[in-house]
Amino acid sequence: MDGRYLIGLDFGTLSVRGVLIDAGSGVAVDHHASPYRHGVMSGSLPQGTPLPPGFALQDPGDYLTAAEEVLARLGRDRHILAIGLDFTASSPLPTTTDGTPLSALMPGEPHAYVKLWKHSAQRYADAINAAGGAFLDDFGGRLSGEWLLAKAAEIAAEAPDVWAAADRFMEAGDWMVLRLTGREARNLGFAAYKAQYSAAAGYPPGIVPGLEARLARPLPAGSPAGELTDDWRRRTGILGPATVAVAIIDSHAVLPAVGAVEGGTMVGALGTSAGYLFLAERRVPLPVGLEGVAHGGSLPNLWLYEAGQAAFGDLLAWFVRTFPRGPDLSASFAAYNAEAATLAPGDNHLVGLDWWNGNRVPHADSRLSGLLMGFGLDTTAAGIYRALMEALCYGTRRVLELANAGGLDTRRLVMTSGLAETNPLLVAIMADVLGREIELPTIAHATASGAAIHGAVAAGVVADFKEGAARFGARSRRMFTPDSQRSARYELLFSAYCQMADLAPVRAAMRRIGPQGGAAPDIRVTAATAKPKPTFG
Amino acid sequence: MDGRYLIGLDFGTLSVRGVLIDAGSGVAVDHHASPYRHGVMSGSLPQGTPLPPGFALQDPGDYLTAAEEVLARLGRDRHILAIGLDFTASSPLPTTTDGTPLSALMPGEPHAYVKLWKHSAQRYADAINAAGGAFLDDFGGRLSGEWLLAKAAEIAAEAPDVWAAADRFMEAGDWMVLRLTGREARNLGFAAYKAQYSAAAGYPPGIVPGLEARLARPLPAGSPAGELTDDWRRRTGILGPATVAVAIIDSHAVLPAVGAVEGGTMVGALGTSAGYLFLAERRVPLPVGLEGVAHGGSLPNLWLYEAGQAAFGDLLAWFVRTFPRGPDLSASFAAYNAEAATLAPGDNHLVGLDWWNGNRVPHADSRLSGLLMGFGLDTTAAGIYRALMEALCYGTRRVLELANAGGLDTRRLVMTSGLAETNPLLVAIMADVLGREIELPTIAHATASGAAIHGAVAAGVVADFKEGAARFGARSRRMFTPDSQRSARYELLFSAYCQMADLAPVRAAMRRIGPQGGAAPDIRVTAATAKPKPTFG
């Protein structure tokens, strides 16, 4: 395997980050990132067309430029065995049959661009949800406005010309695979989680006229899509087979990189927000409060259940930015962490609801807001900071308990991503609050490395994800063990958290005092809303 | 009246503040303050005896020394028509028949000293309340541990030798009058509010053996107690009749100084905490949630109802100290006020419960705590600061609405004291939240001036308090008028405040997460608690 490599590409919201892994040693030997030229477009299109409020678009041409730079930088004159890539989702775009983005043909039309994951067509999701259907059962009865079906409905209703011109409607991750290989090979994960596809029932019918014809039958995670095209080889200087795997949802790519490839595992990605993934060998009905489940889309032969917290690291960053204690954010975090670490559970007498960006589990209500109670005249700033960390951990415990109550086994708890790595106090508090041992795998570029493992599986470099994880995933892990005395003290505080979270009048008050709906008026949206219907277009 | 003067003395927690008023012009021409030598004793007695946790004592000798300095400074070689004084309450002390404080005879005995208002004998109050009695009706069924009856019970139970040696048990204000005049002339206000005396029923019998014999029949506010003794004249150089009025509860002394001498008036003293006084010509039963009522103790022929908020200015000071924005408290307040003033009602999307020091109205529960809800990732520090100001005003509105619902008329709303004078934004918000015009009388040394008016009435310098208020009270007032649009927006927020305040499970959660009772062990207290009984001693 000497001199043979894997490349993993992680297409995030603002840039693509690549990692080059030596297939022999398993070591990441280089990495490189390239930002998207137009970033996230929310004010206007590149040629000047102003965008309606709430729009968040991307130019698919930016992905190609950035990918070329990263692939050339990491792969030139190297023997590349495999390329894997992950992508934000749902970030779909309309194209012609050959994959030409409609944004290249209609550059002044907002609906022709990639609708980034954070672009929400909530009104259409609401209408779809209201119409109902068995396909909603695996998603708690609620599609998100960020998902593909709602975005297709939005285009069909608000830009019928664009919809008519679209031969295909696909996730940007699947589109990138099409461009790299010349073959349309969609991933089951995108289809299942973002377009409610199931092997048994296919895509839900009748939501948007003509949608099914614009989609395709997807392939399981780890499937090969094809080899890198000659054109890309010329432009990047890549040698070797360079087998490209089907793309993978970015938040799921981390699993093999942190060694989470078997049932009974919960993986928490503690970033700006927090995402929780539960791996199961056998299906149970979606536990009440969790957000979605599908099979084989992210790891073969495993059911993957999803849940999350809408604010996580950004909640702590909010506090530290709002009440700084040092010359920069990092110094402030250090100061707060140092003082918060001296407090025992309950010392601050505070309990908070971690809903600074709304609540996902169990209420799925973005209009809910943060709450802190227990203030006294001796409450300290560090006590509040610690209460926010504790509130985040109560939210995690809520997710875990709902999963367990619904029959999901969680023998292993694995935490990863930014907060887990940079804030060990937070993970220690979490171990105490959960009363469970937590694994923190040590691996740089975890998401891109996970994508590279998808490539390795697709190319047959390894027999399966288990071998891929062992050879190319985290080599060491830090363990956080709960202290039984501290855990016992958190029982009382967590019960107060649950009591507050479950008081319907509290949530009603939050909705009343919060920002009151109504984006700025947009004639087309208003017109569509005036006559909600289950079928769009 | 040329060259004739009144003196008002305001005995506060840490010092006595005096004002000299020209009886002809009505102008305050001088003022002086003198701190108590031993301040508040909570760690140990002057000779070294350590104090049990929670004790807050004063040395009565300190009052004499401080009063002598102030009287001499203001009164030497001047013709003084009258002296009035107000005092913290309930701050009682045991004495011999001639008024010698037992602390002078038993200097190592904590129970022989003045038990300052903030010293709470709550266990004894709880036992008295549990035993019940009609005398509780005028106090919402609940005596406070800060009041005289509970403190008498504490001495009788925990220091029977002290109780046996005490010929008299009296408020420090009444004791000061005894020292200045040589006559025991107690004030009806102290007796009614702090010892539950009523003209019809006297003191409640049977609470503490021998207590009634140690008390005395009190006189209405504005009664003359006597003239200054020759000894005091020698020591201070005071000339003229120097008629001393019976003392008055410090929080009630402000009434004539701000022109509140008739029924239908609500006066708010917005200090560290907030006290509200409702004047009524006719009696109504104590409105639910209010704290106490008595007749004639503070102004003749008027019913005076009391209520309050346990934290007020100290809540804002807590925030500004915890999250400073300038080199000192004053600069931080200025910065926060400037930014908070730019926000409209509801802009911060926050609602708070102002219970940082527990709640007095309507729940009378010191174990309740502060709460803030509505946080988002765009919440600002000034938004939180403003939410705290708004929460304080919601608390005020709650008091006002309970008073009105109970049949009290409030044609005039008068606000006074520190916060009212130094924070006009707070008073403006209060006018909007209440939807009512607020008067802010302009007068320096308001409390001491009010005491001086008591002296003037007692000495016959004026015919009554109405004339006293006109001649020696505030000469101008600032009016704060509500804005109807802002008031309308506060309706929604106030309804959310009430909804949260009235949710019993929220209060239960506060009690669970708060500090859990139990002062550090003290054998005597523990022993007394082990056998609670309605009669002590």
Side-chain angles (χ1 to χ4, degrees):
Chain A
M1 288 285 192
D2 286 353
R4 297 176 175 205
Y5 298 90
L6 311 173
I7 289 178
L9 296 176
D10 169 29
F11 289 83
T13 297
L14 294 173
S15 65
V16 56
R17 290 153 292 200
V19 64
L20 180 74
I21 297 178
D22 183 313
S25 68
V27 171
V29 293
D30 199 4
H31 60 95
H32 185 64
S34 176
Y36 307 142
R37 182 173 163 216
H38 299 98
V40 178
M41 300 182 293
S42 54
S44 62
L45 294 177
Q47 45 66 273
T49 304
L51 293 176
F55 268 51
L57 308 180
Q58 291 198 317
D59 184 339
D62 292 352
Y63 305 142
L64 301 177
T65 314
E68 183 175 328
E69 178 187 322
V70 173
L71 287 172
R73 172 77 170 262
L74 298 179
R76 183 168 300 282
D77 299 333
R78 285 205 170 96
H79 188 93
I80 303 298
L81 294 174
I83 297 172
L85 62 96
D86 65 84
F87 222 101
T88 65
S90 170
S91 302
L93 72 159
T95 75
T96 63
T97 306
D98 68 358
T100 303
L102 291 194
S103 58
L105 307 176
M106 311 161 90
E109 172 51 68
H111 291 279
Y113 284 77
V114 175
K115 294 193 170 180
L116 189 62
W117 64 273
K118 63 162 74 170
H119 175 109
S120 174
Q122 191 60 48
R123 295 157 192 258
Y124 297 93
D126 291 345
I128 295 168
N129 294 340
F135 66 98
L136 294 173
D137 293 351
D138 280 350
F139 300 89
R142 285 179 297 247
L143 301 194
S144 162
E146 296 179 0
W147 296 354
L148 184 141
L149 295 186
K151 285 169 176 170
E154 186 180 58
I155 300 178
E158 301 186 17
D161 293 352
V162 174
W163 192 243
D167 299 315
R168 316 296 289 154
F169 192 58
M170 59 201 307
E171 291 286 344
D174 291 333
W175 178 79
M176 197 66 218
V177 167
L178 167 60
R179 297 307 296 252
L180 290 173
T181 64
R183 285 187 54 202
E184 183 174 339
R186 304 200 189 190
N187 163 249
L188 175 57
F190 288 129
Y193 289 101
K194 308 303 179 185
Q196 285 59 61
Y197 171 91
S198 74
Y203 292 100
I207 304 285
V208 183
L211 175 58
E212 278 187 80
R214 291 168 171 86
L215 301 173
R217 190 184 171 85
L219 303 176
S223 302
E227 297 192 343
L228 196 65
T229 64
D230 291 343
D231 180 49
W232 276 94
R233 288 169 189 272
R234 267 193 303 278
R235 288 192 276 129
T236 62
I238 282 178
L239 309 175
T243 299
V244 178
V246 294
I248 182 87
I249 293 176
D250 57 349
S251 59
H252 298 178
V254 77
L255 292 170
V258 298
V261 291
E262 293 182 319
T265 309
M266 172 192 184
V267 176
L270 310 180
T272 305
S273 59
Y276 300 99
L277 305 174
F278 297 87
L279 294 173
E281 266 124 30
R282 271 187 225 97
R283 175 188 174 81
V284 298
L286 184 73
V288 171
L290 267 60
E291 300 177 296
V293 57
H295 186 257
S298 305
L299 286 172
N301 304 318
L302 285 172
W303 294 92
L304 181 62
Y305 295 77
E306 287 193 309
Q309 284 163 281
F312 204 86
D314 52 2
L315 168 51
L316 299 183
W318 165 82
F319 182 78
V320 167
R321 265 198 316 272
T322 305
F323 302 111
R325 278 220 170 165
D328 56 33
L329 208 60
S330 161
S332 285
F333 265 116
Y336 277 118
N337 275 329
E339 191 178 337
T342 67
L343 300 175
D347 276 1
N348 53 16
H349 298 304
L350 293 167
V351 165
L353 296 178
D354 53 312
W355 300 349
W356 261 246
N357 194 24
N359 171 268
R360 284 170 58 184
V361 176
H363 301 299
D365 189 342
S366 62
R367 294 178 61 197
L368 300 183
S369 53
L371 179 149
L372 280 167
M373 65 190 288
F375 288 107
L377 293 170
D378 55 355
T379 299
T380 65
I384 297 172
Y385 174 77
R386 184 172 173 118
L388 297 180
M389 292 210 272
E390 292 167 341
L392 292 172
C393 297
Y394 301 147
T396 306
R397 177 161 168 183
R398 202 78 203 275
V399 168
L400 176 61
E401 290 196 348
L402 286 167
N404 292 153
L408 289 175
D409 169 33
T410 51
R411 292 185 295 279
R412 283 177 65 202
L413 305 186
V414 179
M415 297 294 156
T416 178
S417 301
L419 265 280
E421 288 150 23
T422 59
N423 201 325
L425 174 61
L426 177 69
V427 185
I429 292 174
M430 188 177 284
D432 288 334
V433 167
L434 301 182
R436 291 286 310 273
E437 188 166 66
I438 291 175
E439 297 178 30
L440 187 62
T442 315
I443 181 169
H445 319 295
T447 299
S449 297
I453 295 172
H454 276 262
V457 170
V461 174
V462 291
D464 55 19
F465 279 93
K466 194 169 175 185
E467 186 188 343
R471 282 181 51 190
F472 307 119
R475 303 271 168 113
S476 64
R477 54 200 64 226
R478 184 169 169 192
M479 306 302 290
F480 288 80
T481 304
D483 174 274
S484 60
Q485 205 172 359
R486 289 197 298 268
S487 286
R489 288 202 188 143
Y490 275 128
E491 288 302 314
L492 172 82
L493 299 166
F494 177 66
S495 76
Y497 172 91
C498 293
Q499 184 170 20
M500 291 300 292
D502 292 343
L503 275 174
V506 171
R507 300 198 302 278
M510 285 175 176
R511 285 189 291 264
R512 286 217 313 282
I513 67 176
Q516 297 304 306
D522 166 17
I523 286 168
R524 289 176 303 174
V525 170
T526 307
T529 312
K531 35 172 182 165
K533 46 191 172 177
T535 303
F536 300 92
Chain B
M1 286 286 192
D2 287 352
R4 297 175 176 209
Y5 299 89
L6 312 173
I7 289 178
L9 297 176
D10 169 30
F11 288 83
T13 298
L14 295 173
S15 65
V16 57
R17 289 153 294 201
V19 63
L20 180 73
I21 296 178
D22 183 313
S25 67
V27 172
V29 293
D30 199 3
H31 60 95
H32 185 64
S34 177
Y36 306 143
R37 182 174 163 215
H38 299 98
V40 178
M41 300 182 292
S42 54
S44 62
L45 293 178
Q47 45 67 273
T49 304
L51 293 175
F55 269 51
L57 309 180
Q58 292 198 316
D59 183 339
D62 292 352
Y63 305 142
L64 301 178
T65 314
E68 182 175 329
E69 178 187 322
V70 172
L71 287 173
R73 173 77 169 262
L74 298 179
R76 184 169 298 282
D77 299 331
R78 286 203 170 96
H79 188 93
I80 303 299
L81 295 173
I83 297 172
L85 62 98
D86 65 83
F87 222 101
T88 65
S90 170
S91 302
L93 70 159
T95 75
T96 62
T97 306
D98 67 359
T100 303
L102 291 194
S103 58
L105 307 175
M106 312 161 89
E109 172 51 69
H111 292 279
Y113 284 78
V114 175
K115 295 195 169 180
L116 189 61
W117 63 273
K118 60 163 74 172
H119 175 108
S120 174
Q122 191 60 47
R123 295 157 192 256
Y124 298 92
D126 292 345
I128 296 169
N129 294 339
F135 66 98
L136 294 172
D137 293 350
D138 280 349
F139 299 90
R142 285 180 298 248
L143 301 195
S144 161
E146 296 179 1
W147 295 352
L148 184 141
L149 294 186
K151 285 169 173 169
E154 186 179 59
I155 300 178
E158 302 187 17
D161 292 352
V162 175
W163 192 243
D167 299 314
R168 316 297 288 154
F169 191 58
M170 59 201 307
E171 291 287 344
D174 291 333
W175 177 79
M176 197 66 220
V177 167
L178 166 60
R179 298 306 295 250
L180 290 173
T181 65
R183 286 189 52 204
E184 184 175 338
R186 304 200 189 190
N187 164 249
L188 175 58
F190 289 128
Y193 289 101
K194 307 305 177 183
Q196 285 58 61
Y197 171 90
S198 75
Y203 292 98
I207 305 284
V208 183
L211 174 58
E212 279 186 79
R214 293 168 170 85
L215 301 174
R217 188 186 174 84
L219 303 176
S223 302
E227 298 192 344
L228 195 66
T229 64
D230 290 342
D231 180 51
W232 278 93
R233 289 169 190 270
R234 266 192 305 277
R235 288 192 276 130
T236 61
I238 282 178
L239 311 176
T243 299
V244 178
V246 294
I248 182 88
I249 294 178
D250 57 350
S251 59
H252 298 178
V254 76
L255 292 170
V258 299
V261 291
E262 293 181 320
T265 308
M266 171 191 185
V267 175
L270 310 180
T272 305
S273 60
Y276 300 100
L277 305 174
F278 298 86
L279 295 173
E281 265 125 30
R282 271 188 225 95
R283 175 188 173 81
V284 299
L286 185 72
V288 172
L290 267 61
E291 299 176 297
V293 56
H295 186 258
S298 305
L299 286 172
N301 304 317
L302 285 173
W303 293 91
L304 181 63
Y305 295 78
E306 286 193 308
Q309 283 163 283
F312 204 87
D314 51 2
L315 169 51
L316 299 183
W318 166 82
F319 182 79
V320 167
R321 264 198 318 271
T322 306
F323 303 112
R325 280 218 167 166
D328 57 33
L329 209 60
S330 160
S332 285
F333 264 116
Y336 276 118
N337 275 329
E339 190 178 338
T342 68
L343 299 175
D347 276 1
N348 55 15
H349 299 303
L350 294 167
V351 164
L353 295 179
D354 53 311
W355 300 348
W356 261 247
N357 195 23
N359 171 269
R360 284 170 58 184
V361 174
H363 301 299
D365 188 342
S366 62
R367 295 179 60 198
L368 301 183
S369 53
L371 180 149
L372 280 167
M373 64 190 290
F375 288 106
L377 294 170
D378 55 355
T379 299
T380 65
I384 298 172
Y385 175 76
R386 186 173 171 116
L388 298 180
M389 290 210 273
E390 292 166 341
L392 292 173
C393 296
Y394 301 148
T396 306
R397 178 162 165 182
R398 202 77 203 275
V399 169
L400 176 61
E401 290 195 348
L402 286 167
N404 292 153
L408 288 175
D409 170 32
T410 51
R411 292 185 297 277
R412 284 177 65 202
L413 305 185
V414 179
M415 297 295 156
T416 179
S417 301
L419 265 280
E421 287 151 23
T422 60
N423 201 323
L425 174 62
L426 176 70
V427 185
I429 291 174
M430 187 176 285
D432 288 334
V433 167
L434 300 182
R436 291 285 310 274
E437 187 166 67
I438 291 174
E439 297 177 31
L440 187 61
T442 315
I443 181 169
H445 320 295
T447 300
S449 296
I453 296 173
H454 277 263
V457 170
V461 175
V462 290
D464 55 21
F465 279 94
K466 195 169 176 186
E467 186 189 342
R471 281 181 52 191
F472 307 119
R475 303 268 169 114
S476 64
R477 53 201 65 226
R478 184 170 168 192
M479 306 302 289
F480 288 79
T481 305
D483 174 275
S484 60
Q485 206 173 356
R486 289 197 297 269
S487 286
R489 289 201 188 142
Y490 275 127
E491 287 303 313
L492 172 82
L493 299 166
F494 177 65
S495 77
Y497 171 91
C498 292
Q499 184 170 18
M500 292 299 293
D502 291 344
L503 275 172
V506 171
R507 299 198 302 278
M510 285 175 176
R511 284 188 290 262
R512 285 216 313 282
I513 67 176
Q516 297 304 306
D522 167 18
I523 288 169
R524 289 176 303 174
V525 170
T526 307
T529 311
K531 35 169 185 168
K533 47 191 172 177
T535 303
F536 301 90

